[in-house]
Amino acid sequence: MKDAMISVKDRKLALTNIGVAYAAFLIGTLCGLLQVFIRNDALTLPGWLDYYQVLTAHGLLLAIVFTTFFIFAFFHSGISRTLGDFSPKVRGWNWAGFWVTLIGTMLVVVMIVAGQASVLYTFYAPLQAHGLFYVGLALFVIGTWIQGFALIAHYLKWKKQHKGELSPLFAFMTIATIILWVIACLGVVATVLFQFIPWAFGWTNGINVELSRSLFWYFGHPLVYFWLLPAYMAWYVVVPKIIGGRVFSDSLARLSFVLFILFSIPVGFHHQLTEPGIASFWKFLQTVLTFMVIIPSLMTAFSMFATFEMRGRELGGRGLFGWVSKLPWKDVRFTSIFIAMLFFIPGGAGGIINASFQMNEVIHNTLWVVGHFHITVGTPVAMTFFGLTFWLVPYLSGRRFTKSLQRMAFLQIATWSVGMLLMSTAQHLLGLLGAPRRTAYTGYQHDSALAWFDGVLSNHVTMAVGGSILFLSAILLIYIVVQLWWLAPKSDENSYVTFPIATSDTSATPAFLENWKLWIGIAIVLIAVAYTIPLSDMIQHAPPGSGRFQTW
Amino acid sequence: MHLHKYEKIWLGFGVFALIVFLSVVGVSAFHQGHTPSGGHMTIDPENVRGTAPFDEPGVHQREDGSYEVVIIAKAFGYEPSEIQVPVGEEVTFTVTSEDVVHSFSIVETNVNMMVVPGQVNHKTHTFSEEGSYLIVCNEYCGSGHHFMSTEIEVIGQ
């Protein structure tokens, strides 16, 4: 058991990242609770705080800060576990990256609290936040790059020492995710450095709004895969071990990650289907490319259920579905992630609807979209991270996940599921009826708008009840994290919490799957095909730039 | 690379479904003309009212008998504030913004347009029922975003 433990210094690095993640989680979910009450006129904020400040904080703290810090904690511990302890140099760069990311986060948060950045997490120009908000965003990205490249350096050193060997699946997937992240961030870095910062500080006068939106969404869509791929890593590598099985197919797992690198980036226009400045042809082309990610998603679904069924049958399950009851449902590390997967079925189907070109008009910027990302990043990703937290924190802190904490964890995932089911169903239905997203208030005086709230589930109460249950669930989770980190009994030789890594048979895996140059090259070609002409059109036929507006 | 037989069937089914979906979307888009709103005209966002057709916001009948509704979106409302169009006629909405990004979205229809400063967006729609339709801004545009709405009257001929 002991030899699977990573060094104390690497554990401290990962734990610190988790600490920041859950601090952001606590504040972010509190913001969410405030929102559901403000929208129903059940709560009035004090004069110094505004709904859109709260909404900006909710989006950034949960979708960006919580996810990113947690993901790096998972990477640090998993890479150290599978490729060996970090050298002082690699660890030092990871700490440097952590601090830069954290300073960027703090700068962004200070600007939001000061009322200088109520621009929401999409920060669409020509809404102009304080220049330091954009500096904070840039630092955040640079910090993650430093950590990403430090992990790549560690990986390359391992490759050098293991010539001709395929890397462990966990490491392969980490590197794929970092490659995706670095390529994706180029868009947001370009718009923040060359458009927003000079404009916000007054060095330039106008901003090309459509270009900035397109560069944002070049980043914005792969961003969701940056959240999703670490969850997939848990599904592919961790879950099979927890249930006592093995990876269904090593080569298919690697292939699916490669396909995500290729098809998650040249697709940003499907967030811009209803806007001018992009020809229908390019919107349609990117719609087609968007649909390609369905293939690795179906591969993942197949692998998961194949693993479950094979294991269930090993344990004596018979008949068509007898294996289901043999799975370890009493293990919250498994059940949490299984529920997360179930949520992704409607989540993924909703995503196909959203990206379906003209069908997008029915739901674009309605509450449907809000419902959609709460059952994608908000549950499949977030609840997978909860499922990881239950063993990762005690693994790193050297404590025990006691029986009573396990019961509490079950209560936590149950409340999260129920709360999210209520809230997101209400949001989906309201969106279909036409209710807009991102509004502080829902009282449009019109018969159509009044009818929105007459439904069994689409009424004022459902969303608020769902939101309240979710917040209680969040508090429970924070309590569990605090216990696992500082208060639970220390583990001993017999009760060591392990980092589950399933065996993956690489004997049939072709080596070209780890030929990064090849995949990065193809990704760049696809990006060039999808973006070169429409982006150069936007630059060549640019209207006079837009000025600076602070409308909040 | 080894593929399990069931996996081949599953992926084959998936890819087939994908091709069907995309064909439906593509035929609907390019054969039947159901494309989302869009436009290629740019405009000086600081001189919207000095640029045709936004120098005369409102409802105009074109020579071919169809209608064009020219709208300026601004924080936090639309100009003109009163719009009346006939039922059963083709109506093209032409919109731009004087300030930040907004939307022009008519509830209970598929008119759901992003309004981007510097760009002109178009969408053609035929109302099949008379009545008052709610128009909302569904893109965050500032502290009054949730007050940004208006109505369109669709009247009998």
XYZ file of all heavy atoms in Angstrom, chain A residues 46 62 88 111 113-114 159 189 191 231 259 271 278 286 302 384 398 430 445 461 473 480 497 534:
179
model
N -28.385 44.532 -0.508
C -28.011 45.875 -0.038
C -27.483 46.727 -1.193
O -27.062 46.183 -2.228
C -26.923 45.596 0.997
C -26.416 44.229 0.672
C -27.577 43.484 0.092
N -17.339 29.328 -9.908
C -17.649 27.900 -10.048
C -17.130 27.321 -11.354
O -16.459 26.289 -11.366
C -19.159 27.676 -9.935
C -19.721 27.887 -8.531
C -21.211 27.666 -8.515
C -19.035 26.964 -7.529
N 12.458 18.794 -7.524
C 12.269 20.116 -6.910
C 11.972 21.187 -7.967
O 11.182 22.100 -7.725
C 13.601 20.383 -6.220
C 14.183 19.028 -5.972
C 13.691 18.142 -7.081
N -11.904 43.084 -8.423
C -12.567 43.977 -9.380
C -14.086 43.735 -9.398
O -14.856 44.678 -9.520
C -11.998 43.748 -10.792
C -10.606 44.301 -10.963
S -10.591 46.066 -10.692
C -9.268 46.206 -9.520
N -15.917 42.538 -6.839
C -16.472 43.024 -5.570
C -16.520 44.556 -5.574
O -17.471 45.165 -5.086
C -15.636 42.500 -4.382
C -16.088 43.140 -3.080
C -15.771 40.991 -4.290
N -15.520 45.178 -6.180
C -15.482 46.647 -6.231
C -16.509 47.215 -7.211
O -16.614 48.429 -7.367
C -14.076 47.113 -6.614
N 9.389 10.006 -20.256
C 9.480 9.391 -21.584
C 10.936 9.085 -21.930
O 11.252 8.062 -22.524
C 8.878 10.309 -22.659
C 7.370 10.428 -22.638
C 6.674 9.151 -23.100
C 6.589 9.034 -24.611
N 5.855 7.792 -24.979
N -6.320 34.526 -24.950
C -5.120 35.322 -24.710
C -4.994 36.394 -25.791
O -4.700 37.563 -25.503
C -3.869 34.417 -24.681
C -2.598 35.227 -24.799
C -3.852 33.582 -23.406
N -7.393 37.825 -27.601
C -8.348 38.919 -27.474
C -8.083 39.755 -26.223
O -8.179 40.984 -26.244
C -9.813 38.421 -27.545
O -10.672 39.556 -27.542
C -10.179 37.519 -26.387
N -12.954 14.779 -15.872
C -14.029 13.900 -15.388
C -13.975 12.577 -16.142
O -14.103 11.499 -15.545
C -15.388 14.569 -15.572
N -9.407 12.362 -30.263
C -10.515 12.953 -31.030
C -11.029 14.227 -30.357
O -11.453 15.164 -31.034
C -11.649 11.932 -31.207
C -11.323 10.748 -32.110
C -12.483 9.768 -32.157
C -10.977 11.218 -33.524
N -21.667 28.674 -30.867
C -22.178 29.569 -29.822
C -22.612 30.903 -30.428
O -23.091 31.771 -29.728
C -21.105 29.824 -28.765
C -20.789 28.614 -27.941
N -21.301 28.421 -26.684
C -20.043 27.514 -28.215
C -20.872 27.263 -26.203
N -20.113 26.692 -27.116
N -20.809 36.455 -39.594
C -20.247 35.143 -39.925
C -21.174 34.521 -40.966
O -22.374 34.390 -40.715
C -20.188 34.222 -38.691
C -19.471 34.902 -37.525
C -19.517 32.896 -39.038
C -19.746 34.256 -36.179
N -18.815 24.545 -38.941
C -18.441 24.313 -37.544
C -19.506 23.487 -36.812
O -19.188 22.779 -35.861
C -18.181 25.648 -36.839
C -16.951 26.354 -37.419
C -16.253 27.256 -36.419
O -16.610 27.301 -35.261
N -15.247 27.985 -36.881
N -19.849 3.666 -24.257
C -19.726 2.224 -24.476
C -18.709 1.616 -23.509
O -18.985 0.611 -22.855
C -19.318 1.940 -25.920
C -19.312 0.479 -26.251
C -20.427 -0.124 -26.819
C -18.198 -0.308 -25.991
C -20.425 -1.476 -27.118
C -18.190 -1.656 -26.287
C -19.307 -2.246 -26.860
N -18.570 14.369 -10.429
C -17.395 13.499 -10.557
C -16.277 14.033 -9.658
O -15.598 13.269 -8.965
C -16.923 13.438 -12.017
O -17.959 12.862 -12.811
C -15.666 12.611 -12.150
N -3.808 11.976 4.614
C -3.454 10.838 5.465
C -4.508 10.549 6.522
O -4.187 10.092 7.611
N -38.672 26.540 -18.747
C -38.851 27.995 -18.884
C -38.165 28.496 -20.150
O -38.678 29.356 -20.850
C -38.288 28.712 -17.653
C -39.131 28.570 -16.384
C -38.344 29.004 -15.155
C -40.395 29.404 -16.510
N -44.389 42.205 -17.868
C -45.843 42.341 -17.818
C -46.452 42.014 -19.170
O -46.788 42.892 -19.952
C -46.228 43.760 -17.371
C -45.939 43.998 -15.902
C -46.527 42.926 -14.993
O -47.719 42.628 -15.065
N -45.695 42.327 -14.138
N -41.434 28.627 -7.714
C -40.955 27.955 -6.509
C -39.907 26.886 -6.808
O -38.912 26.765 -6.100
C -42.161 27.318 -5.760
C -41.704 26.688 -4.469
C -43.209 28.380 -5.505
N -26.539 21.191 0.087
C -25.639 20.132 -0.342
C -24.195 20.632 -0.387
O -23.261 19.931 0.000
C -26.094 19.626 -1.707
O -25.249 18.607 -2.147
N -17.665 17.972 4.817
C -16.952 16.710 4.587
C -15.479 16.963 4.255
O -14.581 16.295 4.763
C -17.641 15.899 3.454
C -19.047 15.482 3.888
C -16.824 14.672 3.076
C -19.896 14.898 2.757
N -6.013 5.093 2.650
C -6.810 5.440 1.487
C -5.884 5.414 0.270
O -4.778 5.935 0.329
C -7.425 6.848 1.653
C -8.111 7.277 0.371
C -8.378 6.878 2.818
N -13.161 33.101 -42.123
C -14.100 33.988 -41.407
C -13.411 35.016 -40.509
O -13.856 36.166 -40.450
C -14.958 33.018 -40.580
C -14.293 31.705 -40.646
C -13.462 31.684 -41.871
